[in-house]
Amino acid sequence: VQLQASGGGLVQAGGSLRLSCSLSGGTLSSYAMGWLRQAPGKEREFVAGIIWSGTATRYADSVKGRFTVSRDNARNTVYLQMNRLQPEDTAVYFCAAYAAPYMGSAPKLADFHSWGQGTQVTVSS
């Protein structure tokens, strides 16, 4: 399974971006999926997750109400809509497959695999 994230860029505070993650070499519906990010000098952290069917999602407290994760299994693609972006959202964003089709309320980074190349998101103040 290979994942490729795209859609990052430079945006002003309060703006929006939509990230996409395309999966190849497998079937997206086999996995719950996650978005994670890593800011300079900080550890990688969980941002959002979505179970295999798209009927349940998970969010870090820092992005609840601003970010929305979704998926289109027919297109083998996962999305992250990011609204009301803040400078502290600046990071490299990664998508990754989860170890199971379902995801608990507090997924661990060690349970993600097949990390794709990240996409840079920079939010200016």
Side-chain angles (χ1 to χ4, degrees):
V1 171
Q2 292 184 327
L3 298 167
Q4 179 64 56
S6 61
L10 174 64
V11 63
Q12 288 188 331
S16 299
L17 282 174
R18 188 194 197 199
L19 305 184
S20 298
C21 173
S22 297
L23 181 147
S24 60
T27 303
L28 186 67
S29 59
S30 298
Y31 308 98
M33 296 293 295
W35 286 96
L36 305 98
R37 67 187 181 186
Q38 187 165 19
K42 295 187 177 181
E43 294 185 353
R44 195 167 293 188
E45 63 175 357
F46 172 77
V47 175
I50 186 167
I51 69 169
W52 73 275
S53 61
T55 54
T57 55
R58 309 283 185 257
Y59 296 97
D61 288 343
S62 58
V63 306
K64 278 181 183 175
R66 300 188 298 122
F67 290 12
T68 302
V69 59
S70 61
R71 64 192 294 157
D72 184 338
N73 287 343
R75 296 179 181 271
N76 268 3
T77 303
V78 181
Y79 305 96
L80 184 67
Q81 178 67 44
M82 304 186 295
N83 298 328
R84 290 185 283 139
L85 282 160
Q86 303 167 4
E88 50 265 39
D89 295 317
T90 295
V92 177
Y93 284 71
F94 301 88
C95 60
Y98 193 63
Y102 292 89
M103 184 184 291
S105 59
K108 299 177 182 178
L109 265 61
D111 290 333
F112 289 94
H113 63 87
S114 302
W115 295 80
Q117 283 191 321
T119 184
Q120 176 71 46
V121 172
T122 303
V123 185
S124 62
S125 57

